[in-house]
């Protein structure tokens, strides 16, 4: 069986659902169920004997020891994190706690567990750390895309805390021989993403007829990957990745933010027309994010060359599926756009102005 931390969040829950759709190997999800973790994401697994949800903090060493001792996993897949850049700007301490101290605690619990395994089970064990392309910093318009050997230059409290966690994972391999793998992926989108990130935020706001807040000039560039493609990349790296290596994962799909928002508006005009007019009338430029990285781009040749992985979805197929999912799941959206969510919108957008 495998342990998945952060399995009630966006990517983690997509990973758990995909895993159990194609395998009978049981999963234990370890999740603190912060604002970003949602039991509803795993609701379809209620009563499924292959899945167990443990509500626990990855910073809690005794709880991590108990999970590993009780369930005896062959792998720990580490998704749990504070993941939103804007939240890291307004309140960095939770990022240091979960992303740095939590990863450290999980590494130590995993090392103690792994050290006591038989030689055969030690050799088969994997600690797979899920990280981000943001650790590499920001690119100019003509710079080559990020390769795995690029120096780390994180610019936000979020990316700095993820960079720190990547370094810890690397050191636990180098020093203690813990069998680790790291993936650094670009921006994900798809079903079950909390509507604080660009794509679901714009869909939810456009549906309510609210302004669509584009930071700065809208020309910051991200590479976008449909979430199930990230999940398949992680399965490949887990199965066949070389120990101690990092693998960049991306969609070969760089786009400026304004183009993403215009595409969402166009598809909503087609799939859920608003009698008041095109959704693009709602686009509003607002004050930029401090320290906003200009461009991310992923060179995903290594994972293709070594593991034969390429994304299955194009942006056109993925964004359409994503919008269709949000339109079909408005009850999921309304359950999480609660008081606390509205407070977040006030904190982050209240003082930006036009
Ligand atoms: P998310 O915010 O949707 O989910 C994070 C999950 O971790 C939530 O379920 C939350 O409850 C849980 N969690 C938070 N703190 C915890 C703690 N102390 N103990 C236990 N559980 C805790 O994030 P996501 O977008 O699904 O990202 C998952 C991972 O992938 C993160 O490590 C993130 O850095 C990485 N990543 C995300 C993206 C992206 O575009 N979303 C891209 C590349 C990498
Ligand atoms: P986001 O989804 O927060 O991911 P990240 O910052 O980790 O890349 O943001 C994606 C891009 O969209 C980023 O350049 C910031 C921009 N953005 C907006 O323009 N408006 C918004 O309201 C949000 C949340 C993001």
């Amino acid at each position: 069986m495998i342990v998945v931390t952060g399995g009630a969040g966006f990517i983690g829950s997509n990973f758990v659902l995909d895993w159990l759709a194609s395998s009978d190997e049981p999963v234990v999800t370890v999740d603190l169920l912060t604002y970003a973790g949602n039991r509803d994401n795993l609701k379809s697994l209620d009563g499924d004997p292959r899945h167990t949800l443990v509500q626990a903090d990855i910073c809690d060493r005794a709880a991590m020891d108990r999970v590993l001792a009780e369930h005896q996993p062959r792998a720990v897949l580490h998704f749990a994190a504070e993941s939103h850049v804007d939240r890291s700007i307004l309140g960095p301490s939770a990022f240091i706690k979960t992303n740095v101290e939590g990863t450290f605690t999980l590494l130590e619990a995993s090392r103690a567990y792994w050290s006591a395994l038989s030689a055969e089970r030690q050799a088969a064990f994997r600690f797979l750390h899920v990280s981000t392309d943001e650790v590499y910093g920001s690119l100019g318009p003509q710079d080559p895309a990020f390769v795995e050997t690029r120096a780390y230059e994180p610019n936000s409290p979020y990316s700095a805390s993820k960079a720190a966690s990547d370094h810890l994972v690397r050191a636990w391999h180098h020093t203690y021989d813990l069998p680790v793998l790291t993936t650094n992926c670009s921006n994900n989108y798809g079903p079950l993403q909390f509507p604080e990130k660009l794509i679901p935020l714009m869909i939810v706001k456009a549906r309510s007829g609210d302004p669509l807040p584009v930071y700065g000039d809208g020309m910051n560039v991200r590479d976008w990957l449909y979430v199930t493609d990230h999940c398949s990349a992680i399965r490949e790296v887990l199965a066949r990745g070389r120990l101690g290596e990092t693998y960049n994962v991306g969609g070969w799909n760089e786009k400026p933010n304004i183009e993403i928002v215009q595409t969402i508006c166009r598809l909503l005009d087609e799939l859920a027309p608003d009698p008041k007019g095109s959704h693009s009338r709602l686009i509003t430029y607002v004050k930029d994010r401090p320290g906003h990285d200009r461009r991310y781009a992923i060179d995903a040749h290594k994972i293709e060359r070594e593991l034969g992985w390429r994304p299955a979805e194009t942006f056109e197929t993925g964004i359409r599926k994503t919008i269709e999912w949000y339109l079909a799941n408005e009850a999921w959206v309304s359950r999480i756009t609660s008081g606390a969510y509205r407070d977040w919108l006030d904190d982050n957008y209240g003082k930006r102005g036009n």
Side-chain angles (χ1 to χ4, degrees):
M1 61 86 56
I2 60 168
V3 163
V4 172
T5 72
F10 163 49
I11 306 172
S13 61
N14 275 284
F15 183 86
V16 171
L17 294 169
D18 268 19
W19 180 272
L20 290 174
S22 59
S23 151
D24 280 332
E25 185 175 9
V27 177
V28 172
T29 295
V30 175
D31 200 298
L32 185 57
L33 300 176
T34 67
Y35 80 92
N38 187 345
R39 278 179 198 278
D40 274 3
N41 295 357
L42 298 169
K43 208 176 170 52
S44 60
L45 298 175
D46 282 356
D48 187 326
R50 300 171 304 163
H51 184 249
T52 308
L53 174 63
V54 178
Q55 184 172 1
D57 189 338
I58 56 165
C59 300
D60 180 344
R61 173 67 193 268
M64 295 306 105
D65 287 343
R66 270 197 305 279
V67 166
L68 296 172
E70 186 178 332
H71 295 284
Q72 296 286 311
R74 68 158 175 108
V76 172
L77 282 77
H78 180 32
F79 294 79
E82 289 291 335
S83 68
H84 188 35
V85 173
D86 289 319
R87 286 188 194 252
S88 84
I89 294 169
L90 291 179
S93 78
F95 288 72
I96 304 305
K97 180 103 180 116
T98 286
N99 300 358
V100 185
E101 191 185 325
T103 301
F104 162 71
T105 306
L106 194 64
L107 281 167
E108 279 294 80
S110 300
R111 179 165 77 92
Y113 164 75
W114 169 78
S115 304
L117 293 175
S118 66
E120 195 187 341
R121 291 191 64 210
Q122 270 190 2
F125 183 80
R126 297 289 181 271
F127 183 103
L128 191 152
H129 178 57
V130 179
S131 193
T132 167
D133 61 355
E134 305 195 22
V135 296
Y136 297 121
S138 185
L139 293 168
Q142 306 305 329
D143 290 341
F146 300 135
V147 288
E148 288 80 357
T149 49
R150 188 185 159 93
Y152 274 31
E153 288 179 348
N155 290 319
S156 73
Y158 164 65
S159 55
S161 67
K162 290 296 290 188
S165 69
D166 293 8
H167 290 323
L168 292 174
V169 171
R170 175 191 159 85
W172 261 239
H173 176 65
H174 195 79
T175 305
Y176 305 112
D177 286 334
L178 189 70
V180 308
L181 299 155
T182 297
T183 55
N184 292 89
C185 186
S186 58
N187 287 55
N188 284 212
Y189 68 101
L192 301 169
Q193 186 168 31
F194 192 85
E196 63 186 357
K197 306 280 167 59
L198 179 72
I199 288 179
L201 180 96
M202 294 296 167
I203 298 171
V204 168
K205 281 189 171 287
R207 287 289 289 155
S208 343
D210 291 333
L212 306 179
V214 174
Y215 295 163
D217 64 0
M219 291 306 290
N220 297 67
V221 171
R222 299 290 182 264
D223 173 68
W224 293 94
L225 182 69
Y226 192 67
V227 62
T228 53
D229 279 327
H230 189 188
C231 297
S232 70
I234 290 171
R235 288 197 300 271
E236 289 302 330
V237 172
L238 178 67
R240 293 184 295 116
R242 285 188 291 131
L243 291 186
E245 292 289 316
T246 67
Y247 292 90
N248 283 353
V249 183
W252 299 109
N253 177 55
E254 278 184 64
K255 289 198 190 301
N257 294 334
I258 187 65
E259 199 179 313
I260 300 283
V261 178
Q262 281 162 345
T263 301
I264 292 170
C265 290
R266 183 173 43 76
L267 282 170
L268 281 175
D269 288 348
E270 174 197 326
L271 297 168
D274 181 343
K276 294 195 183 114
S278 170
H279 291 90
S280 59
R281 76 188 189 283
L282 301 168
I283 293 175
T284 309
Y285 289 90
V286 299
K287 188 162 172 261
D288 208 352
R289 171 189 280 174
H292 194 177
D293 283 340
R294 192 64 176 168
R295 173 176 166 239
Y296 303 141
I298 279 275
D299 182 331
H301 279 115
K302 178 178 174 183
I303 189 170
E304 180 169 0
R305 197 173 56 244
E306 291 192 12
L307 306 178
W309 178 89
R310 266 191 80 84
E313 299 288 343
T314 63
F315 188 69
E316 289 62 38
T317 58
I319 191 70
R320 184 175 281 275
K321 281 189 192 177
T322 304
I323 292 175
E324 285 170 350
W325 187 87
Y326 279 88
L327 291 174
N329 288 277
E330 291 195 324
W332 180 92
V333 172
S334 57
R335 277 196 294 278
I336 57 175
T337 46
S338 62
Y341 177 72
R342 281 194 295 275
D343 292 346
W344 160 252
L345 294 182
D346 283 349
D347 288 347
N348 192 45
Y349 297 97
K351 296 188 196 76
R352 280 186 197 267
N354 287 359

